[in-house]
Every structure is written in C-alpha cells, then in structure tokens.
Amino acid sequence: MPNTLSDRFNFITTEDGSPSLSFRQGPETYSESMHNLKGAFGETVYVYGKALSRINDLNLNPHVMSLGLGIGYNEILSAATFVRTKKIDHAEIDSFEIDSDLRKYFAAWINDAEVPVEFQKCYDTILALTAKSTTVAGEGIKAALAQLLKSDRLRLREALAPTISFDRKYSCFLFDAFSSKTSPELWSEEFLTDFLSKTAEPRAVFSTYACTGNLKRTLSSLGFALEIREGFSSKRDCTFAVRM
C-alpha cells in the first residue's frame, strides 16, 4: 500500500489544528474542502454535535444517517456520544460516501488494519480531539466503532441517490453533503421530500451546515420545526430542525 495518496487527495490542517480533505481535480486544482477552514472539528461539534445531544435529551432512538462519511468526523462523534450516554448497544449508523477508498480506509482503521499513513494520522487526530471533547476514552470510542461495524449496525454505504433502497429509518440526520453547487441532486426539493418521507422516524432531528430555500420548505412541509442558527465561524446561517 503506498505511503502517499497525493495523486488523489489533498490533506489540509484547519485553523483549530484539525484535519480536512479535498480531492485533487488536476495537477494544481482541488475540489472544495470538506470542512470550514476555520476548524473542521469545531464545525463538526457546532453543527452536528447539537443534533446528537438533542436525540439524547428527547430520548429518541440512537439511529443516525450520516451524509457523507468523508474522514469520519460524524461517525466518531456519534460513537463517542452513544458511549457517553450509554446507548451504544442500541445505536445504528448508516454512513453514505461516494468514494470507495474513503469507505475502505475508514473500515480498515476501525479494525486496526493497514491504511495509508496520511489517513492513519488523520483518523487518530480526530479520535484524540473527540475523546478530549466528549471525555470518552479514545480506546472506548474505537472499540464501539468496531462493535458497530462487526454487528452491521455501522454500515458504510455507497453514494446516496434517488434510486437507493432503505431498510432503516433514522431519528438523527447529519446532512453533510457537498454544497448544492457540487452536488445539486442532493439539495433539490423533490429529492429531499422523497428521501425524508421514506427514512425519517416520526420523531427526528435534522442538522446541516446549509440553509437553502429548498431545504427549509421541505422540512416545514414534513412537520419539522425549524431553528435557523448562525453559521459556524461567522458563516451564513445553518439549519437545525426537530419533529416531535
């Protein structure tokens, strides 16, 4: 296995010391970063940590849909949260990711198999930051991820698409898709309405860094109460919603 993947991925250290990633699109061009450059970990906790805390406060099922996997921030934070709240034995996480390497490397890291050096360092850094933030031991978080993966309660699935079939419903949506400019099909009102109608439990929370008109109309039409929050690090608004 090569020690560098610079022909495909560009690793970035954001301002809070946490890693992010972009995809190499040409010799000197890259896709947008997966995270806010002011702080990948800070953004994760601000936008998605609230949703994970709220499902515990509301005593909702610990059933998470994460879009997309990326470098595992939401999955690691979810496992830590469920360990801390003693709900790990009932947790389910479906994580969608179009890039097969990202799915493969994350699963290998969970199982202590060999992964490229850059990814090993990346995952280990995220784990350490999460452990410190949640006061859950890193070893416990990783063991919980391994338990979930082995029991098929953590599933690393291919790209979310209109044709995909679902055999689970979710109480917590961590909607971290690339922007509507990069992935317009995931932000259309038609897709969001169909997707959430099929997959949302009667009581559910939804969180994303974005605040589009299509998204707000869809959530309102499906009975979610909207909370428009200030975006992370002075970014424009982000969306949090609850249906009870």
Side-chain angles (χ1 to χ4, degrees):
M1 182 175 291
N3 286 331
T4 179
L5 297 174
S6 58
D7 59 330
R8 288 206 60 218
F9 301 107
N10 181 45
F11 287 86
I12 302 161
T13 300
T14 64
E15 289 188 19
D16 66 359
S18 58
S20 187
L21 194 69
S22 62
F23 293 93
R24 190 177 295 274
Q25 296 181 315
E28 297 182 0
T29 59
Y30 304 92
S31 67
E32 62 183 286
S33 169
M34 289 182 175
H35 306 92
N36 192 304
L37 296 181
K38 292 292 183 180
F41 183 71
E43 181 183 31
T44 299
V45 172
Y46 178 78
V47 176
Y48 304 109
K50 178 172 181 173
L52 292 165
S53 295
R54 186 64 64 88
I55 65 170
N56 183 62
D57 295 342
L58 297 174
N59 199 30
L60 305 186
N61 294 322
H63 299 164
V64 173
M65 194 289 291
S66 175
L67 177 72
L69 168 65
I71 47 177
Y73 274 102
N74 285 334
E75 291 69 21
I76 294 171
L77 183 60
S78 295
T81 300
F82 296 142
V83 170
R84 181 171 53 81
T85 57
K86 297 181 172 56
K87 293 188 174 182
I88 194 66
D89 290 338
H90 305 287
E92 295 177 351
I93 304 170
D94 274 354
S95 183
F96 293 84
E97 173 57 55
I98 192 171
D99 192 280
S100 61
D101 282 340
L102 295 182
R103 299 194 304 270
K104 178 175 68 176
Y105 297 152
F106 190 64
W109 173 76
I110 289 173
N111 289 322
D112 292 323
E114 184 182 5
V115 295
V117 171
E118 296 96 326
F119 279 93
Q120 181 75 45
K121 291 169 59 178
C122 178
Y123 299 139
D124 288 348
T125 298
I126 296 168
L127 181 65
L129 289 168
T130 304
K132 182 177 180 180
S133 176
T134 61
T135 67
V136 178
E139 296 86 349
I141 298 171
K142 197 170 182 185
L145 287 166
Q147 173 191 339
L148 291 171
L149 189 65
K150 183 177 180 180
S151 62
D152 205 34
R153 290 186 291 124
L154 168 59
R155 301 190 299 190
L156 307 179
R157 304 188 65 182
E158 297 181 1
L160 188 62
T163 56
I164 200 166
S165 61
F166 298 96
D167 58 359
R168 288 179 178 171
K169 290 185 179 289
Y170 313 104
S171 64
C172 183
F173 294 83
L174 310 179
F175 205 80
D176 198 23
F178 273 125
S179 68
S180 55
K181 180 180 179 181
T182 303
S183 304
E185 68 282 0
L186 299 180
W187 296 95
S188 72
E189 196 166 346
E190 180 182 13
F191 171 77
L192 289 166
T193 299
D194 181 67
F195 166 62
L196 289 171
S197 296
K198 290 177 178 176
T199 61
E201 294 184 356
R203 302 169 69 222
V205 299
F206 183 103
S207 190
T208 182
Y209 67 88
C211 191
T212 69
N214 285 344
L215 177 63
K216 289 185 287 185
R217 285 189 294 272
T218 298
L219 290 168
S220 294
S221 71
L222 294 175
F224 284 83
L226 294 177
E227 178 184 333
I228 307 305
R229 307 174 66 202
E230 181 180 351
F232 175 74
S233 187
S234 300
K235 193 175 179 180
R236 292 190 66 181
D237 297 339
C238 62
T239 304
F240 183 79
V242 178
R243 184 171 73 182
M244 295 299 295

